[in-house]
Amino acid sequence: MLLLSLALVAALAPSVLGCPQHLNNKRSHLQGRQTDPALNPNPNTTQNIWSYEASFNWGKLSPDYRLCQTGTQQSPIALSLGNGLSLNHVPKFNYNGSVAGNFANWGYGPAFTVAHNGDWASHPSFTYDNEILYLKGWHIHAPADHSVGGDRSKAEMHFVHVDAEGHERAVLAFRLDPGNFNNTFFDQLPPMIGFDEMQTQEPLELDLSLALESVLHFNEFWTYQGSLTSPPCHEGIRWFVARQIMFTGVEQMQAILGASTYSARAEQEVWQHRINE
Ligand SMILES: *[C@@H]1O[C@H](CO)[C@@H](O)[C@H](O)[C@H]1NC(C)=O
Ligand SMILES: *[C@@H]1O[C@H](CO)[C@@H](O)[C@H](O)[C@H]1NC(C)=O
Ligand SMILES: *[C@@H]1O[C@H](CO)[C@@H](O)[C@H](O)[C@H]1NC(C)=O
Ligand SMILES: [Zn+2]
């Protein structure tokens, strides 16, 4: 029964789309359906196939995934107030107005990709130090990737940002937990699209600044040098993790979890992450 459900998850999971990539074109993940690497040790059939259930093993699946095993700044990591909070790299947001895009499911949870007309400058953006970065989209992992003081939130939302050439450079992480009130950001969403409905895309306009308001615009945060949290585990990603929890209503959290499947990478050893430096 366990083997059966693992195989099912692997069959549904995309092999090419991973945090924090957001593709604007229709995904071709169905061509890549394969068996779960944890179940099939033949290297010729496991190449490029990965699952969250076996995230400790990604570095062995393909030469392209070496960094998952050998990288010095791999994400996610455990954070705590013992790290202090960051006084450096303070983000300044330019997230005005409603933003058009596509609501979908990235195969593991709810996702939204900002419509792209070729001009990144038309996207919501933020600056830190002397860099300006543009929002490509957001997606949700459940449970959360980052723990804080040993506590792991029920889910984590990633706002993925790219530079002017479209390369992933930074992720804003919002830790999500149920609270007493409905969240105005999630109030905007239509019914969730399930993780088994990856072909569905729904055009949608969102006020993304409502998410920033929920965490007081990252007034307190941790930052570090990290990586993608799925293969190929590329580094050079600056993470910003909000100290404030983004609280949702109970029904909102149930809707998020109902559309999600296990999607947290095992926590990585802190090495050259330069937390808050
Ligand atoms: C894997 O593929 C290579 C070349 O394509 C072949 O030589 C090798 O025997 C294959 N290995 C297995 C275990 O099938
Ligand atoms: C967004 O709003 C801020 C503050 O309200 C303003 O300074 C900025 O110029 C606006 N940016 C755009 C692109 O409208
Ligand atoms: C939150 O919204 C749901 C509908 O999505 C509603 O049933 C529920 O009563 C609301 N809860 C609160 C605390 O407002
Ligand atoms: Zn992610």
Side-chain angles (χ1 to χ4, degrees):
M1 193 56 206
L2 177 63
L3 292 187
L4 191 64
S5 62
L6 279 179
L8 179 64
V9 167
L12 297 171
S15 61
V16 292
L17 176 74
C19 167
Q21 297 170 319
H22 280 263
L23 307 179
N24 282 286
N25 47 347
K26 217 51 175 159
R27 294 181 286 243
S28 59
H29 67 283
L30 292 177
Q31 297 156 5
R33 282 190 175 181
Q34 305 263 356
T35 49
D36 190 288
L39 303 177
N40 189 343
N42 181 335
N44 286 0
T45 58
T46 61
Q47 209 177 24
N48 299 324
I49 307 306
W50 54 271
S51 75
Y52 280 106
E53 285 79 3
S55 69
F56 55 85
N57 206 29
W58 287 345
K60 290 186 186 155
L61 299 180
S62 157
D64 297 339
Y65 300 170
R66 272 176 62 86
L67 275 179
C68 303
Q69 179 74 12
T70 63
T72 61
Q73 299 175 332
Q74 290 292 295
S75 295
I77 54 173
L79 296 167
S80 82
L81 282 173
N83 299 126
L85 291 161
S86 182
L87 301 174
N88 299 317
H89 314 296
V90 174
K92 291 209 170 17
F93 297 100
N94 193 347
Y95 261 57
N96 303 352
S98 76
V99 176
N102 277 312
F103 186 52
N105 194 298
W106 67 295
Y108 297 91
F112 177 82
T113 301
V114 176
H116 185 59
N117 64 7
D119 179 17
W120 288 110
S122 67
H123 289 230
S125 64
F126 79 97
T127 55
Y128 76 93
D129 303 342
N130 289 319
E131 280 215 74
I132 177 158
L133 298 174
Y134 306 96
L135 180 70
K136 197 171 183 189
W138 58 258
H139 60 267
I140 293 178
H141 296 253
D145 267 330
H146 292 88
S147 67
V148 172
D151 286 334
R152 189 173 304 284
S153 293
K154 286 213 175 309
E156 187 171 308
M157 179 164 61
H158 290 160
F159 276 37
V160 179
H161 290 75
V162 299
D163 63 18
E165 280 81 51
H167 300 127
E168 280 98 4
R169 293 300 308 277
V171 181
L172 304 178
F174 301 76
R175 296 178 294 139
L176 306 179
D177 272 316
N180 296 324
F181 304 99
N182 284 338
N183 184 289
T184 54
F185 174 78
F186 290 108
D187 264 344
Q188 309 173 87
L189 299 182
M192 294 291 175
I193 298 167
F195 62 82
D196 53 351
E197 299 173 82
M198 277 189 67
Q199 291 79 3
T200 308
Q201 293 201 1
E202 222 172 298
L204 187 63
E205 293 207 353
L206 289 181
D207 181 349
L208 297 163
S209 68
L210 294 173
L212 295 176
E213 272 172 33
S214 301
V215 297
L216 307 181
H217 295 86
F218 283 71
N219 67 330
E220 295 183 312
F221 64 99
W222 295 267
T223 185
Y224 72 88
Q225 296 281 9
S227 74
L228 307 189
T229 60
S230 62
C233 307
H234 282 157
E235 297 184 340
I237 308 283
R238 177 165 289 284
W239 284 83
F240 295 86
V241 179
R243 179 187 181 181
Q244 308 295 335
I245 301 264
M246 183 171 179
F247 288 107
T248 72
V250 171
E251 294 88 350
Q252 288 178 329
M253 180 54 73
Q254 288 182 303
I256 291 166
L257 296 178
S260 299
T261 186
Y262 184 76
S263 45
R265 183 187 186 189
E267 256 166 7
Q268 305 293 300
E269 300 281 320
V270 174
W271 191 357
Q272 295 183 6
H273 296 79
R274 302 169 60 90
I275 299 170
N276 295 342
E277 285 177 23

